[in-house]
Amino acid sequence: MTPIAFALVLAGVLLNAAAQLLLKAGTNAVGHFDFSLHNIIPIGLKIAAQPPIIGGLACYAVSVVVWIMALSRVPVSIAYPMLSIGYVVNALLAHYWFGEVLVMQKMLGIGFIIIGVILVANS
């Protein structure tokens, strides 16, 4: 994998991870909600007005463009497993930013993901 291809894959993964974290921050600001016919407009407007949600959607849009560029350079059998890096990034940042608990079982899973990504990248 060339340095540019790797940078595109990594940028796509990190943009996708950032989008998830921003969406979570936006929903934290809104709080728990249930959609129903009578509240779909007020809740929808409340969600749409959250800057983190707007930022998350923007990250998704940019990540699609970057990902298409990456896929034009890297076989999908290598690129797609790299998305797993996003799980690691999200778990660690959710722990620090949102106080989500990282128990030993999650840490072990993260370790397996990292090993798997290294194996795929070196194949």
Side-chain angles (χ1 to χ4, degrees):
M1 187 179 324
T2 68
I4 290 175
F6 179 74
L8 287 168
V9 168
L10 187 60
V13 167
L14 294 177
L15 281 164
N16 194 293
Q20 284 296 313
L21 293 165
L22 286 166
L23 292 177
K24 177 62 176 166
T27 57
N28 282 352
V30 171
H32 176 82
F33 61 88
D34 293 312
F35 274 122
S36 65
L37 196 52
H38 77 279
N39 76 355
I40 195 164
I41 291 176
I43 293 295
L45 290 173
K46 193 172 183 180
I47 290 170
Q50 290 298 316
I53 290 185
I54 295 167
L57 293 174
C59 284
Y60 270 137
V62 174
S63 78
V64 168
V65 174
V66 170
W67 195 249
I68 290 169
M69 292 172 63
L71 288 176
S72 74
R73 292 165 172 81
V74 179
V76 73
S77 63
I78 293 174
Y80 191 68
M82 297 296 178
L83 285 174
S84 299
I85 296 167
Y87 300 142
V88 175
V89 170
N90 277 339
L92 296 175
L93 290 178
H95 172 70
Y96 290 108
W97 289 349
F98 304 127
E100 295 184 10
V101 179
L102 283 177
V103 297
M104 187 55 67
Q105 188 174 0
K106 285 183 186 177
M107 294 300 291
L108 186 61
I110 287 170
F112 283 129
I113 290 170
I114 292 169
I115 291 167
V117 168
I118 290 168
L119 290 172
V120 169
N122 288 324
S123 64

